[in-house]
């Protein structure tokens, strides 16, 4: 595992992007929990965001793909609406150790 950032580096109900194992990973803080996913939209296999660290929809309720507006549940990565509805973001193993966020090995996209 690798120490990637600290809990306080991420605002509540938002996400930030980090590089791990040469892959872009987003770490989201939502409802007091942290979640990590490969920054890879299952629709076209491209990154979700246009702007750095801009991953949430306007109500900060879902992770949104900026390309075609797919919405993903933050807790599960499930796509709830959009062209990849029923598909999901690829989770990255994550551990919170005190204030520190550690990431495990990043899976390869399918
Ligand atoms: S690439 Fe993400 S919704 Fe199309």
């Amino acid at each position: 595992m690798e120490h990637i950032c600290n809990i306080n580096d991420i605002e509540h109900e938002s996400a930030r992007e980090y590089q791990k194992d040469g892959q872009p990973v987003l770490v989201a803080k939502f409802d007091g929990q942290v979640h990590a996913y490969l920054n890879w939209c299952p629709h076209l296999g491209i990154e979700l965001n246009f702007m750095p660290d801009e991953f949430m929809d306007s109500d900060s309720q879902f992770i949104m793909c900026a390309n075609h507006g797919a919405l993903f549940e933050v807790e599960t990565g499930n796509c709830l609406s959009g062209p990849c509805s029923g598909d999901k973001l690829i989770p990255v193993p994550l551990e919170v150790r005190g204030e520190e966020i550690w990431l495990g090995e990043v899976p390869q996209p399918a």
Side-chain angles (χ1 to χ4, degrees):
M1 308 240 4
E2 184 180 322
H3 175 216
I4 210 83
C5 62
N6 291 337
I7 296 258
N8 291 338
D9 294 337
I10 307 171
E11 307 268 313
H12 287 281
E13 272 63 57
S14 74
R16 291 192 64 179
E17 187 173 8
Y18 297 94
Q19 293 289 322
K20 170 84 170 55
D21 304 337
Q23 304 251 54
V25 173
L26 72 95
V27 182
K29 192 153 100 182
F30 186 78
D31 208 12
Q33 303 282 325
V34 282
H35 308 273
Y37 299 101
L38 205 56
N39 182 7
W40 186 87
C41 182
H43 177 216
L44 293 184
I46 54 180
E47 294 190 11
L48 296 155
N49 58 317
F50 292 159
M51 305 291 288
D53 302 321
E54 290 271 341
F55 289 100
M56 304 298 285
D57 74 319
S58 54
D59 294 332
S60 300
Q61 290 303 301
F62 299 100
I63 295 169
M64 188 179 82
C65 180
N67 298 290
H68 310 106
L71 295 176
F72 302 88
E73 193 173 53
V74 184
E75 293 94 333
T76 63
N78 289 333
C79 180
L80 302 181
S81 81
C84 47
S85 198
D87 223 326
K88 60 186 302 187
L89 298 175
I90 298 170
V92 175
L94 173 149
E95 248 180 62
V96 178
R97 301 180 185 171
E99 290 295 301
E100 300 177 349
I101 297 175
W102 290 65
L103 295 182
E105 200 177 323
V106 179
Q108 295 296 317

